[in-house]
Amino acid sequence: MIGGLYSELEAFEAILQHGSFTAAARQLQVTPGAITRRLNTLEARLGAKLLNRSTRRLSLTEPGRHYYAEVAPALAQILAAGERVHDLSLQPRGELRVSLPMNFGRLYVMPRVSAFLKRHPGIDLDLQFDDRFVDLIGDGFDAAIRIGALTDSRLVARRIAQTRRILVASPDYLARRGAPSTPAELIEHDCLHYTLFRDTPTWEFQREREPLRVPVRGRLKANYGVPLVEAAVAGGGIVQSATFAVAQELASGQLVEVLPDWSLVPIGIYAVYPGREYRPRKVEAFIDFVEETIGQPAVWDRVIGARVGGVAGD
């Protein structure tokens, strides 16, 4: 009876944690049907319906809310203890689903994947590339790499590196159009604008702690940074970019920095994962590996020969 109740409570917790039967099944590495059976057995054991199910959403019933409020603290301790005991006897293992920014993932995570899998033969990686901030819990992800501001309070974040934002252009473009000496002169230039997080073409600068917002214009904008960098290399204009995205081009001389005396707000790069009392070892192994191979001094700073930003920390 105890073993059966444990699996039923584990399924109940996973459904609430991940928001769907499918995501709960993926987390527990069972079928959605098994999750359904466990919940049905728990409800039959209690003689009460715990969850309202519809095609669009799940919600706790009133008995479900009372029951979960009573058992959640003890359940969290039981599940965490079980995971700790399980992990003590095993190397990190299981499928690890990670959400990655497209360009950062391509440039700095994918080249290191083989080494990670070799170090941890019990882990299978499922990498999903998307520049938008996916719902880690709702979509059943174990972890993510995120760049920039973090807003989801359900997640735990660990900063693994920092990068500057800079303006760059090709030597050919600057020879033809001249290099701007102040941000205000950007209005006379072709500015290549990244639209994913800010559709309005405005670039923000800082100098001596005074913020300055400058409207820019240009004939090319996109929601993906790689084509904009490629356009800048081809002489198409000035682009604002994180240093990690243009390190190779700066090192080779294909791009040079514009307005180096003006700073833009630096960007933190974070490993994030759902907030839990106990972090699975497969998640810990991935985050430790990324920080070890990418973190400060960041690998892109080594490429361009200058350390950028501060020391990474929690």
Side-chain angles (χ1 to χ4, degrees):
M1 175 179 173
I2 293 176
L5 179 59
Y6 176 86
S7 65
E8 295 158 18
L9 291 172
E10 184 182 43
F12 184 42
E13 167 73 12
I15 294 167
L16 296 178
Q17 182 78 14
H18 297 283
S20 75
F21 283 65
T22 301
R26 185 184 300 118
Q27 173 66 27
L28 298 180
Q29 299 182 19
V30 297
T31 65
I35 294 293
T36 301
R37 287 190 295 273
R38 292 180 188 181
L39 180 64
N40 289 341
T41 302
L42 179 61
E43 289 179 329
R45 186 192 301 275
L46 297 172
K49 186 178 181 180
L50 300 177
L51 285 176
N52 292 312
R53 292 100 137 171
S54 72
T55 56
R56 294 190 175 185
R57 63 190 297 268
L58 298 172
S59 62
L60 285 166
T61 63
E62 184 176 358
R65 286 196 298 273
H66 287 292
Y67 183 68
Y68 188 66
E70 291 283 346
V71 303
L75 180 58
Q77 293 183 11
I78 292 169
L79 295 177
E83 287 182 328
R84 283 194 291 269
V85 171
H86 181 72
D87 277 355
L88 283 174
S89 62
L90 296 172
Q91 294 297 317
R93 61 179 300 172
E95 182 179 76
L96 181 65
R97 298 190 75 235
V98 182
S99 174
L100 298 173
M102 293 178 66
N103 200 29
F104 184 86
R106 176 181 66 88
L107 290 172
Y108 297 104
V109 179
M110 282 306 300
R112 293 162 174 79
V113 162
S114 293
F116 174 78
L117 293 175
K118 184 177 180 180
R119 180 182 296 185
H120 300 289
I123 294 178
D124 296 329
L125 270 181
D126 179 0
L127 303 179
Q128 301 291 318
F129 293 78
D130 195 329
D131 280 342
R132 298 185 183 276
F133 285 3
V134 300
D135 181 354
L136 261 66
I137 295 174
D139 292 337
F141 284 97
D142 297 296
I145 301 297
R146 289 191 171 170
I147 300 172
L150 303 174
T151 58
D152 193 335
S153 61
R154 300 173 300 169
L155 304 179
V156 178
R158 179 163 138 196
R159 196 177 76 174
I160 59 173
Q162 184 168 285
T163 184
R164 284 193 306 153
R165 284 183 291 187
I166 60 175
L167 303 185
V168 293
S170 70
D172 174 68
Y173 174 85
L174 296 176
R176 286 187 289 110
R177 300 288 298 274
S181 57
T182 67
E185 294 178 17
L186 290 171
I187 198 67
E188 304 299 329
H189 285 266
D190 294 320
C191 294
L192 311 172
H193 185 60
Y194 179 60
T195 62
L196 185 59
F197 299 121
R198 181 186 290 277
D199 188 54
T200 304
T202 301
W203 290 352
E204 298 182 8
F205 296 83
Q206 285 186 332
R207 193 175 191 182
E208 297 178 355
R209 298 186 179 181
E210 290 294 325
L212 175 64
R213 300 184 67 182
V214 177
V216 297
R217 62 186 181 188
R219 298 174 60 197
L220 177 62
K221 57 184 178 181
N223 68 345
Y224 182 31
V226 171
L228 298 179
V229 172
E230 292 173 345
V233 169
I238 299 173
V239 67
Q240 179 185 154
S241 175
T243 49
F244 76 76
V246 292
Q248 297 290 346
E249 291 80 4
L250 287 170
S252 68
Q254 291 176 288
L255 294 174
V256 296
E257 188 172 358
V258 176
L259 295 175
D261 294 333
W262 289 81
S263 62
L264 294 92
V265 178
I267 311 170
I269 300 176
Y270 300 87
V272 299
Y273 54 93
R276 302 176 60 187
E277 183 179 338
Y278 177 66
R279 182 174 64 204
R281 290 190 69 190
K282 61 183 180 180
V283 174
E284 186 174 8
F286 179 78
I287 294 174
D288 287 347
F289 183 82
V290 172
E291 185 173 27
E292 171 192 327
T293 58
I294 294 175
Q296 296 288 5
V299 64
W300 49 88
D301 298 338
R302 302 169 212 160
V303 169
I304 61 178
R307 181 169 179 168
V308 180
V311 177
D314 290 341

